[in-house]
Amino acid sequence: MDSWNEWVEQTLEKLESRKLLRSLRPIHLSDDNSHTDEFECFDGLRQWDRASVEVEILETTFQKWLQDIPSPGDDLGGSGVAYTEAGTSAGGFRKLILFSGNDYLGLSSHPSVIKAATQAVQKHGMGPRGSALICGYTNYHRLLESSLAELKSKEDCLLCPTGFSANMAFMTAVGNVSLLLAKDSQPSIDERVAVFSDALNHASIIDGIRLAEKQKSVAAFVYQHCDMHHLNELLTNCPMKKKVVITDSLFSMDGDFAPLVELVKLRKKHGFLLAIDDAHATFVCGKTGGGAAELFNCISDVDICIGTLSKAGGCHGGYIACSKKWKQLIQSRGRSFIFSTSTPVPIAAAAHAAVIVAKKEMWRRRAIWNRVQDFRDLTGIPITSPIISLIVGSEAKALQASRHLLEFGFHITAIRPPTVAPNSCRLRIALSAAHTLDDVKNLTAALSQCINFSEIGFYCTSWNAARL
């Protein structure tokens, strides 16, 4: 990857010569919760973990959902309702088991995460409000960045307000390499960056590429989902020198992994920059929770690792784990980072606690993968991750199945266009370490009454490149 290192260095030199390099200068807030030994950890599931998978809705809302009547969103009620054995309450609430969230480890309700946020908010409120380059970057943010860089085995890390903004910032920074190194005011076709994107990549990657295309700084190529033969063909026939391949590591709507081992082989052959969106694999995969690259033993071959703290981290925010030079480039030219208010201090404190707890409480990863095995055993469906995509076809079938599960006390949303392609509507089930074996048994029993496990579509392969 010597070529990319050289291009980034040249881009930084251009920015420095134009006085456009931007620096992060942390504001120090006293009594930060930086002592990792203060985070209490546990050796197994506790009652508070269930708060991440147990929700309640008003009975009136429940009836609207059953009839597919749109809700205005204001039919909310109080809390502290005692449930009956039937699952309803005297106060008109109904209890549901959540199988549609992304809190894979149940960390959103962990005492150490709650304590970190509480202590920070009591000392500092929301913290300085401003973009990270103005006044919104503190020692809390720096501590979180350092812990994520260590988790991802990268030189550094840049926090972003969301995972969406992280992908947008990275793609616009990539585009700036060609903009700043072009001989003329606009880069020629050959001077642009060729970006190769999986057909099922997340919308944030797609929108980032679209923005860079609008600036005429990149040329986009979409390869068929996880098709390394197609990608190799595109790479071989592309005359552009600057190449980037970007992919989700674990696809959020299909539950399959990108073929990282094969991607690494192609990287060595073609010399492209490899970036992955590790949003759904971080903390879940790998011995330490380092994500898909750790799982497939190719950490050093992934150049850029983008992710979020709103999934298995149980908190909020995005990040880009990368080299120090890439960080300097992105923080100087990544528009969605530059022009967004930074993460509130209590969220940064909570997220740092979540990073530490997720790494130490290894039983959570064992628990979620046990639930994956349980679902496989009970249904015979060869799922490979905690994301289960059961394709039922039409919107009507998906909505009917979702309503059926609702009656049995399970919150599972029907996924429909434009999120997925027409006629590939599905039930997206997300397993959690906070789910029990009984939860999975009850769910699969209810599922068996509305779908045929032997006939269900598993992976969506028909979603085409028209999304880009």
Side-chain angles (χ1 to χ4, degrees), residues 38-88:
E38 292 181 0
F39 299 128
E40 188 175 10
C41 294
F42 305 90
D43 58 3
L45 197 67
R46 298 292 193 273
Q47 183 57 40
W48 55 72
D49 291 309
R50 295 295 289 177
S52 65
V53 294
E54 291 181 352
V55 296
E56 60 179 27
I57 62 174
L58 278 170
E59 185 66 26
T60 54
T61 301
F62 176 79
Q63 295 302 327
K64 286 180 180 178
W65 286 10
L66 286 181
Q67 299 171 52
D68 198 27
I69 298 174
S71 170
D74 57 3
D75 46 350
L76 301 173
S79 58
V81 181
Y83 291 106
T84 65
E85 292 183 2
T88 59

Side-chain angles (χ1 to χ4, degrees), residues 101-102 104-105 152 167 198 200-205 223 225-226 246-260 263 275-286 289-296 302 305-308 311-312 319 368-369 372 376 382-389 426 428-431 458-459 467:
N102 293 323
Y104 300 117
L105 299 187
K152 294 295 183 179
N167 274 318
D198 189 288
L200 295 189
N201 274 343
H202 190 263
S204 56
I205 296 175
Y223 61 91
H225 180 49
C226 291
I246 185 166
T247 179
D248 283 17
S249 63
L250 174 55
F251 289 87
S252 62
M253 281 299 147
D254 292 85
D256 57 334
F257 286 96
L260 290 183
L263 279 167
I276 64 171
D277 182 341
D278 213 28
H280 292 269
T282 300
F283 305 123
V284 173
C285 299
E294 183 181 29
L295 176 66
F296 293 105
V302 173
C305 186
I306 301 161
T308 178
K311 306 290 191 287
Y319 62 86
I368 193 170
W369 287 104
V372 171
R376 272 200 297 256
I383 63 171
T384 57
S385 79
I387 300 172
I388 304 166
S389 184
R426 67 198 65 188
R428 180 191 183 275
I429 298 168
L431 301 176
F458 185 44
Y459 292 126
R467 295 176 72 199

Side-chain angles (χ1 to χ4, degrees), residues 53-215:
V53 294
E54 291 181 352
V55 296
E56 60 179 27
I57 62 174
L58 278 170
E59 185 66 26
T60 54
T61 301
F62 176 79
Q63 295 302 327
K64 286 180 180 178
W65 286 10
L66 286 181
Q67 299 171 52
D68 198 27
I69 298 174
S71 170
D74 57 3
D75 46 350
L76 301 173
S79 58
V81 181
Y83 291 106
T84 65
E85 292 183 2
T88 59
S89 69
F93 286 86
R94 185 171 291 256
K95 180 180 178 180
L96 300 174
I97 302 298
L98 190 65
F99 271 99
S100 55
N102 293 323
D103 187 4
Y104 300 117
L105 299 187
L107 291 178
S108 62
S109 56
H110 195 284
S112 291
V113 174
I114 295 171
K115 181 180 178 181
T118 302
Q119 288 181 339
V121 79
Q122 288 176 340
K123 294 172 184 173
H124 312 295
M126 291 296 107
R129 297 290 71 217
S131 68
L133 295 178
I134 302 298
C135 65
Y137 187 72
T138 71
N139 45 316
Y140 281 86
H141 298 85
R142 182 59 202 152
L143 186 64
L144 176 55
E145 286 179 338
S146 298
S147 65
L148 288 167
E150 181 182 359
L151 179 72
K152 294 295 183 179
S153 298
K154 291 289 178 278
E155 191 177 20
D156 212 331
C157 179
L158 180 69
L159 284 184
C160 294
T162 64
F164 200 111
S165 67
N167 274 318
M168 294 287 288
F170 170 66
M171 288 312 312
T172 53
V174 165
N176 267 268
V177 173
S178 65
L179 290 172
L180 288 163
L181 298 185
K183 294 177 181 179
D184 299 319
S185 58
Q186 280 290 339
S188 65
I189 293 295
D190 290 340
E191 288 177 318
R192 295 179 189 179
V193 178
V195 178
F196 300 83
S197 176
D198 189 288
L200 295 189
N201 274 343
H202 190 263
S204 56
I205 296 175
I206 293 170
D207 285 0
I209 294 172
R210 283 174 174 166
L211 178 58
E213 277 189 307
K214 193 77 172 177
Q215 297 170 331

Side-chain angles (χ1 to χ4, degrees), residues 280-428:
H280 292 269
T282 300
F283 305 123
V284 173
C285 299
K287 183 178 179 181
T288 67
E294 183 181 29
L295 176 66
F296 293 105
N297 194 31
C298 58
I299 293 173
S300 61
D301 296 297
V302 173
D303 301 292
I304 307 289
C305 186
I306 301 161
T308 178
L309 297 156
S310 63
K311 306 290 191 287
C315 297
H316 190 75
Y319 62 86
I320 305 168
C322 55
S323 68
K324 288 185 180 298
K325 290 180 180 178
W326 264 106
K327 177 179 180 177
Q328 193 171 28
L329 174 58
I330 297 167
Q331 73 191 26
S332 298
R333 305 307 289 170
R335 290 173 61 84
S336 59
F337 165 79
I338 296 169
F339 296 105
S340 294
T341 299
S342 69
T343 303
V345 165
I347 302 301
H352 175 244
V355 173
I356 304 304
V357 170
K359 192 171 184 178
K360 289 185 175 181
E361 294 192 4
M362 299 178 67
W363 66 266
R364 291 183 182 271
R365 276 182 290 284
R366 290 195 296 269
I368 193 170
W369 287 104
N370 284 341
R371 299 293 81 82
V372 171
Q373 185 63 52
D374 294 337
F375 193 94
R376 272 200 297 256
D377 294 341
L378 290 164
T379 65
I381 300 175
I383 63 171
T384 57
S385 79
I387 300 172
I388 304 166
S389 184
L390 302 179
I391 302 172
V392 297
S394 69
E395 285 193 49
K397 288 182 179 179
L399 289 169
Q400 184 179 11
S402 179
R403 288 193 293 266
H404 170 81
L405 294 171
L406 188 65
E407 290 186 285
F408 278 81
F410 299 108
H411 187 299
I412 298 174
T413 306
I415 306 298
R416 301 172 283 169
T419 305
V420 295
N423 297 318
S424 71
C425 299
R426 67 198 65 188
L427 297 176
R428 180 191 183 275

